[in-house]
Amino acid sequence: MTRTRRPEPLAAALVEGRTPSLKEPLLRDGRLLWLEQRPQEQGRTTLMLRPAAGGVAVELTPSPHNLRSRVHEYGGGVYAVGGNDLVFVDDSDRCLWHLNLPGAPRRLTTPGPRAFADGLIDAPRRRWLGVMEAEGRDQLVAVPLAGGEPQRLHQPADFCGYAALSPDGGQLAWVEWQQPFMPWQRSQLWLAAVNDDGTLEEPRPVAGSGPNATDTDTDTDAAAISVFQPLWISPSELVVASDASGWWNLQRLDTASGAWQPLLPLEAEFAMPQWVYGMRTTAWDGQQLIAAAAQEGAWQLGRVHLTPDRVGTPAAWEPLDQPFDDLAGLSAEAGTLVALASNPTSPEGLLELKLDTGVWRHTPVAPCPLQPEAISQPEPLWFAGHGGAPTHAWFYPPADGAHAEAPLLVKGHSGPTAMARRGLSLGIQFWTSRGWGVVDVNYGGSTGFGRAYRERLDGQWGVVDVADCAAAAQALVAAGQASPARIAIEGGSAGGFTALAALCFTDVFRAGASRYGVTDPSALASESHRFEARYLDGLISPWPEARAAYEARSPLAHADQIRCPVVFFQGLDDQVVPPEQTERMAAALEANGIPVEVHRFAGEGHGFRSGSVRIQVLEATEAFFRRHFQR
């Protein structure tokens, strides 16, 4: 490949520290609302509003308000709006607050050992309805907008969320799941009538599967199924994504007759793994259904043409002409759609699309600091992964062109159910502008490629992901696009575990970086927070019965097999992966004479929010690799 002149290296301060993250855009009553997480304010999250037709945005929750939910530790779903009523969760006291637009916020609930999230406004009954986590269980509760103690509406067996109220207020749908499964493994759609007094009548599961389902079950009612995002499109019609077919496809339920209609039987995913509340891949504008679908690692936006026949005739899929292929957070109203959107050359921003004309506007959170010609664009890479299975990755060549002497950074995403996406990542461009190639691996277990691809990791965490990351690097070396002597691997959380395990159990990598990574899966299984308390039952095997399997996968137990330098980054307030895991791993490597750096950050938890911290992490990682690769 012809080498081109390398552009100026992209400064870490342009990558991190100044660009807000956008979350949960919502169109309601002619208003556009969204959350901004601001790294320059130590990660404080605030709520913005402007008219849907355009105009000046105003901040509804100025400092010291910080909108964040702690339900299941990962939170999400931190605000709800209906008419002039706005309810949000404030992280300072974990209480619900009410704001009568455009007034001043006031506290609805009293502080206590509980957390709220994922609510909606039940306007006729003047209440907030959502999830309260207390005493180790979820509850569906109602809180009067005038303030007062939560009223329990329903007690699930374990977890619940994604409540959706029918347009006439007569029915409530929601999702439940139970340990040892995560919601993308086994979950159920529940339905109940809402009485005049606001209580729920005959709550019952109507789709999905409970904890006793098996993958080999021939009974469709007992097969392993997960559901995602119930959405009402009329007082008696509900749309939900279900992976009963092996793909998260859309289905429509007529609640009056109980009849189900598969809408789009495609090899595409209309859902995401539900790590946080507030995720939306479908939207109803009052007349039409819009959806985002993942195929071959990229997202597409389309209109779902519904048919009157609710039994036999599938809907039609019409792709919408717009240039973005990394999409999330869909919301629609009266012919307008909003979503979080990016593509390989455009940073994330708010996409506003007029559905009748196709006219769109994209407002990025910040200007792109790179000229289009300086951006390394992702190239699809299919290679033989673990067991020879076709496996996907995105390869970003160095800015001056891929060649056999180029260093390579292998990225293992978190989750490990996440998906390496195509949207512009300045973090990746930071490396390519310095002459590195980057390969972002959709290892077995990633979402976006169907349930079978996702289930490759069942019982094989630390095996399949490790083999796939190593195979991606080896494929690029074999193609003359990377140097075998200059391959590093990095990841955060579950990706940090994959990176450390790859350093232990392969000889492909020459350096590694772990951000709050799991070093000892047995400690995670025995000490983890409630949401993930049984997650490793599926990823490895039930604990403690399978202690030997945990020992065999543990980077900490095999630290003596690491022969290359490693840098660690750890938040001291991390409740998901406690700092002790990082400290023990670093001490074991130091005892073996391996070059190690440990960077500790007070006030940071699982995932770094402060802009200055994120800048330090990026700069320290690059300096560490450069020093040990002698570049």
Side-chain angles (χ1 to χ4, degrees):
M1 182 174 181
T2 302
R3 302 279 294 274
T4 59
R5 184 176 179 272
R6 186 186 304 173
E8 288 296 315
L10 182 62
L14 295 177
V15 175
E16 305 282 8
R18 63 173 62 182
T19 303
S21 296
L22 303 185
K23 300 176 182 179
E24 301 183 31
L26 188 66
L27 284 169
R28 284 291 185 274
D29 302 312
R31 303 181 180 107
L32 171 59
L33 300 99
W34 69 92
L35 296 171
E36 281 188 8
Q37 182 179 320
R38 297 173 172 175
Q40 71 273 26
E41 297 182 31
Q42 305 304 306
R44 187 181 76 88
T45 300
T46 191
L47 183 62
M48 305 297 295
L49 176 148
R50 71 163 174 77
V56 178
V58 296
E59 183 178 5
L60 295 178
T61 54
S63 182
H65 288 295
N66 181 21
L67 277 61
R68 184 180 182 186
S69 164
R70 301 284 182 153
V71 172
H72 307 164
E73 295 297 332
Y74 295 109
V78 299
Y79 77 98
V81 65
N84 289 328
D85 292 303
L86 171 70
V87 175
F88 63 87
V89 182
D90 195 298
D91 193 46
S92 64
D93 55 15
R94 304 192 183 184
C95 290
L96 293 176
W97 288 64
H98 176 257
L99 191 157
N100 193 306
L101 294 169
R106 60 182 180 84
R107 188 183 287 114
L108 284 185
T109 57
T110 57
R114 57 195 182 187
F116 299 92
D118 198 36
L120 58 87
I121 303 297
D122 183 359
R125 301 175 181 93
R126 299 297 300 157
R127 63 182 183 170
W128 176 93
L129 191 158
V131 177
M132 181 177 78
E133 184 180 27
E135 298 179 345
R137 298 182 76 179
D138 289 359
Q139 299 176 15
L140 274 179
V141 301
V143 176
L145 294 183
E149 280 300 295
Q151 172 196 4
R152 186 173 69 188
L153 299 178
H154 173 68
Q155 178 62 72
D158 210 340
F159 298 95
C160 68
Y162 296 90
L165 189 64
S166 62
D168 62 358
Q171 298 184 83
L172 186 73
W174 68 93
V175 175
E176 293 192 18
W177 67 99
Q178 300 83 34
Q179 291 181 350
F181 298 109
M182 304 301 279
W184 53 87
Q185 295 174 312
R186 315 281 192 275
S187 56
Q188 311 92 46
L189 175 68
W190 281 63
L191 189 65
V194 185
N195 295 319
D196 291 341
D197 63 0
T199 58
L200 302 186
E201 182 179 341
E202 296 183 0
R204 63 202 184 278
V206 295
S209 61
N212 297 320
T214 66
D215 290 318
T216 57
D217 221 313
T218 56
D219 180 355
T220 55
D221 291 331
I225 299 168
S226 68
V227 295
F228 178 86
Q229 196 203 344
L231 175 69
W232 292 96
I233 61 173
S234 82
S236 63
E237 293 177 289
L238 188 66
V239 171
V240 68
S242 164
D243 67 353
S245 68
W247 297 82
W248 270 317
N249 281 182
L250 298 179
Q251 298 188 18
R252 174 168 57 176
L253 170 64
D254 185 327
T255 60
S257 66
W260 282 95
Q261 177 197 12
L263 291 178
L264 292 167
L266 301 173
E267 289 190 352
E269 300 272 56
F270 291 83
M272 302 172 175
Q274 302 98 300
W275 281 100
V276 298
Y277 291 123
M279 306 172 88
R280 297 187 301 271
T281 56
T282 55
W284 177 253
D285 81 333
Q287 300 292 328
Q288 54 193 321
L289 180 63
I290 308 300
Q295 289 182 301
E296 298 286 314
W299 288 85
Q300 184 183 63
L301 196 62
R303 182 182 283 109
V304 182
H305 290 279
L306 300 172
T307 60
D309 181 355
R310 295 172 184 154
V311 179
T313 307
W317 174 251
E318 177 196 355
L320 296 176
D321 186 19
Q322 51 80 40
F324 302 98
D325 53 13
D326 191 354
L327 300 152
L330 274 63
S331 181
E333 183 180 66
T336 299
L337 175 89
V338 65
L340 300 178
S342 61
N343 62 26
T345 58
S346 301
E348 183 180 76
L350 289 169
L351 171 66
E352 298 168 77
L353 175 66
K354 295 297 182 183
L355 296 171
D356 55 347
T357 64
V359 174
W360 57 267
R361 177 175 64 175
H362 184 254
T363 309
V365 291
C368 181
L370 295 171
Q371 294 299 313
E373 62 273 12
I375 295 174
S376 175
Q377 298 201 33
E379 301 173 358
L381 174 68
W382 285 95
F383 59 94
H386 180 263
T391 306
H392 179 269
W394 295 111
F395 174 56
Y396 295 80
D400 55 351
H403 55 93
E405 299 303 315
L408 177 69
L409 179 62
V410 177
K411 294 178 64 68
H413 60 63
S414 62
T417 57
M419 173 183 174
R421 304 166 75 110
R422 282 174 49 87
L424 176 63
S425 166
L426 294 180
I428 288 176
Q429 301 301 317
F430 173 87
W431 295 97
T432 58
S433 71
R434 285 165 170 76
W436 287 68
V438 177
V439 61
D440 202 359
V441 186
N442 276 312
Y443 52 76
S446 303
T447 47
F449 300 87
R451 187 176 189 111
Y453 196 105
R454 202 162 75 238
E455 291 180 341
R456 289 183 193 178
L457 206 60
D458 287 1
Q460 296 294 306
W461 190 39
V463 177
V464 168
D465 49 328
V466 167
D468 287 351
C469 286
Q474 290 169 322
L476 290 167
V477 169
Q481 295 180 302
S483 166
R486 293 179 172 180
I487 304 177
I489 186 168
E490 69 92 25
S493 190
F497 169 80
T498 297
L500 294 171
L503 298 179
C504 285
F505 305 125
T506 78
D507 59 1
V508 172
F509 303 99
R510 300 295 178 262
S514 170
R515 302 184 309 281
Y516 39 86
V518 176
T519 68
D520 181 8
S522 62
L524 186 66
S526 59
E527 301 170 4
S528 187
H529 60 118
R530 172 175 167 254
F531 181 66
E532 294 182 84
R534 301 287 302 279
Y535 187 23
L536 298 195
D537 283 19
L539 288 176
I540 298 178
S541 207
W543 172 264
E545 297 86 344
R547 188 181 300 270
Y550 284 75
E551 184 82 5
R553 311 281 178 83
S554 169
L556 180 61
H558 298 84
D560 60 337
Q561 296 180 214
I562 295 181
R563 295 287 183 265
C564 64
V566 186
V567 60
F568 296 89
F569 303 93
Q570 179 67 47
L572 297 182
D573 294 345
D574 196 333
Q575 300 298 310
V576 178
V577 178
E580 185 210 9
Q581 287 210 25
T582 290
E583 299 295 344
R584 292 173 63 200
M585 186 72 191
L589 293 177
E590 287 175 336
N592 293 334
I594 301 300
V596 171
E597 280 185 13
V598 182
H599 298 258
R600 304 167 183 86
F601 302 103
E604 290 286 358
H606 197 68
F608 301 139
R609 288 175 167 250
S610 166
S612 62
V613 167
R614 286 155 56 179
I615 290 171
Q616 290 178 60
V617 170
L618 190 55
E619 290 180 336
T621 304
E622 191 272 338
F624 186 83
F625 289 165
R626 175 165 35 85
R627 183 164 62 252
H628 291 285
F629 284 177
Q630 296 182 344
R631 283 183 56 83

